[in-house]
Amino acid sequence: MADPQDQLFTRFGKTYAAGEVLFRDGEPGAEMYVIQSGSVRISKHVREIEKTLAVLGPGEFFGEMAILNNKPRSATATVHEDARLLLIDSRTFESMVTGNTEIALRIIRKLARRLDSADSLIEILLYRDPKARVILGLSRQAELEGTPAEGGIFVPIGSKDLADQVGLDPQLAMEVVGRLEKAGMLQEVEGGYVVRDIPRLQEFLEFLEMKEKFGDL
Ligand code: CMP
């Protein structure tokens, strides 16, 4: 029997090469996408800077908001690594959701996680101290995508993307990372960081929170 993934691909699938723009922020949209393989970057243009909101991989979906809200695309989607995508139009989407509670639940869970992750980003951006932003940004990324590694947790994010996410100048973010590295709290490795000492990072963050609240004592 044919693989169900292949059957779906025959019906709804298309292949895209890295760099292709699927849609841009502000355009009308009538389809959502499910990633079968490869990855897609979701980004938004904010004050001259193209800010990455997420890089989505196999099994994830995007483009559902325009269909659900009947509003223009809220962000730009660009193929990050060559991808096989399923294109689902709004009618098919509606019949999938109404006909299958498991699919509906998966979508709700995903949207709840996205809201949670957006809330934690808002919290990070409320901090003025760049050290607090870097620590919180790494903790958030560890929660989203961290994996156990020797001596800590591997957090897959580059310094540029980290700076981008927490709204810091890349140079400043690198300085902060360098200082945390010197203090033995983390180590830069290929493809990201190994966060070594989470309790100390947490303590340091609490100290920074006190400083923001009460100023230099
Ligand atoms: P839509 O508004 O149709 O087009 C842009 C898509 O990007 C949006 O639907 C969501 O699917 C996706 N998207 C928007 N914001 C985020 C985010 N913060 N994280 C992950 N995906 C997002």
Side-chain angles (χ1 to χ4, degrees):
M1 215 174 87
D3 182 337
Q5 290 273 73
D6 287 342
Q7 279 180 1
L8 279 172
F9 190 78
T10 311
R11 195 155 160 218
F12 300 111
K14 266 192 189 175
T15 42
Y16 293 90
E20 274 188 71
V21 176
L22 299 165
F23 55 75
R24 290 182 197 279
D25 192 359
E27 283 176 5
E31 284 152 332
M32 69 168 283
Y33 298 72
V34 180
I35 305 175
Q36 272 201 336
S37 68
S39 61
V40 171
R41 191 163 76 94
I42 305 292
S43 64
K44 212 168 160 67
H45 210 75
V46 189
R47 275 183 279 127
E48 317 283 301
I49 305 170
E50 192 64 21
K51 202 164 158 29
T52 300
L53 298 177
V55 176
L56 306 174
E60 301 199 86
F61 61 85
F62 60 95
E64 77 297 337
M65 280 165 64
I67 301 184
L68 290 168
N69 297 342
N70 227 340
K71 278 177 77 173
R73 297 293 189 194
S74 60
T76 298
T78 312
V79 180
H80 189 58
E81 293 161 293
D82 291 356
R84 276 159 62 102
L85 306 177
L86 307 178
L87 276 71
I88 318 275
D89 65 32
S90 61
R91 272 186 53 193
T92 312
F93 178 62
E94 267 173 38
S95 65
M96 273 164 65
V97 171
T98 47
N100 188 326
T101 43
E102 197 180 322
I103 291 185
L105 257 178
R106 271 180 57 189
I107 291 175
I108 293 170
R109 283 207 188 97
K110 188 91 213 168
L111 293 177
R113 238 175 288 146
R114 209 184 279 162
L115 184 61
D116 191 38
S117 145
D119 280 350
S120 61
L121 197 56
I122 291 170
E123 194 189 325
I124 293 172
L125 298 175
L126 290 175
Y127 280 86
R128 269 170 299 141
D129 192 311
K131 294 188 274 325
R133 286 196 187 187
V134 166
I135 292 171
L136 281 164
L138 282 169
S139 310
R140 176 175 177 267
Q141 198 62 24
E143 216 170 274
L144 289 173
E145 291 187 287
T147 47
E150 220 188 295
I153 293 181
F154 172 64
V155 183
I157 190 165
S159 62
K160 166 104 187 35
D161 284 341
L162 178 65
D164 212 35
Q165 276 193 11
V166 300
L168 289 178
D169 172 71
Q171 185 65 35
L172 180 57
M174 268 168 69
E175 269 171 45
V176 173
V177 164
R179 281 163 68 184
L180 294 173
E181 204 167 357
K182 251 195 188 152
M185 294 192 224
L186 55 89
Q187 192 193 352
E188 190 164 4
V189 292
E190 168 111 31
Y193 298 94
V194 171
V195 180
R196 299 218 168 278
D197 200 335
I198 291 181
R200 258 182 81 201
L201 217 52
Q202 198 62 39
E203 266 173 35
F204 189 43
L205 185 63
E206 280 163 20
F207 164 71
L208 294 174
E209 278 172 359
M210 296 284 281
K211 245 178 90 174
E212 284 226 348
K213 242 190 207 156
F214 302 113
D216 286 317
L217 297 171

